[in-house]
Amino acid sequence: MGKGQHKMPTKEELLEKYNRINKIKQVRENRFLQSSNLNCIALCEVITSKDLQKHGNIWVCPIPDHVCTRFLFVYENGQIGDVHINTQEATIQREILQVIASKPS
């Protein structure tokens, strides 16, 4: 059992390791989004090409360079709006296009 050499870390190596871990914990405590339950939805712009495929209501673009994320919506603690929303509906698509076209104040 345990062939080879086993090196015990020095006191300095242990202090360095655990100080780094403590700093990581502090960064997590000071982050903007506090919840460990996060949900994200990306609104992406996709270049129309022959590679773009539709499977039901799901679009697949196998070429990453043809996809550009325009908005990333992040929700904490599962507080997402209507999870049954159909983004293929004309009214929803109009709202999305209005938001994209609007300029920030």
Side-chain angles (χ1 to χ4, degrees):
M1 297 190 66
K3 286 186 177 180
Q5 294 183 341
H6 297 282
K7 180 183 174 244
M8 291 295 293
T10 65
K11 179 180 175 181
E12 291 77 23
E13 290 172 331
L14 287 172
L15 284 172
E16 183 180 332
K17 176 182 177 182
Y18 288 105
N19 282 338
R20 186 171 38 88
I21 290 172
N22 289 335
K23 286 179 185 174
I24 291 170
K25 286 180 184 177
Q26 288 173 354
V27 169
R28 287 183 185 155
E29 291 170 4
N30 295 331
R31 65 185 187 180
F32 173 67
L33 297 168
Q34 296 296 321
S35 176
S36 60
N37 181 14
L38 298 176
N39 294 293
C40 301
I41 299 172
L43 179 61
C44 301
E45 182 177 355
V46 181
I47 295 173
T48 304
S49 73
K50 60 183 170 83
D51 299 309
L52 191 60
Q53 305 161 9
K54 185 174 183 182
H55 304 278
N57 285 336
I58 298 173
W59 289 87
V60 177
C61 184
I63 303 171
D65 289 341
H66 288 187
V67 180
C68 178
T69 301
R70 294 294 182 186
F71 298 92
L72 180 65
F73 303 95
V74 180
Y75 300 92
E76 289 187 279
N77 299 319
Q79 295 186 2
I80 297 178
D82 185 359
V83 295
H84 302 291
I85 194 167
N86 181 356
T87 57
Q88 300 298 308
E89 290 178 12
T91 55
I92 302 300
Q93 287 186 356
R94 275 194 301 275
E95 285 184 47
I96 292 170
L97 291 174
Q98 285 175 345
V99 170
I100 292 171
S102 67
K103 294 181 180 177
S105 307

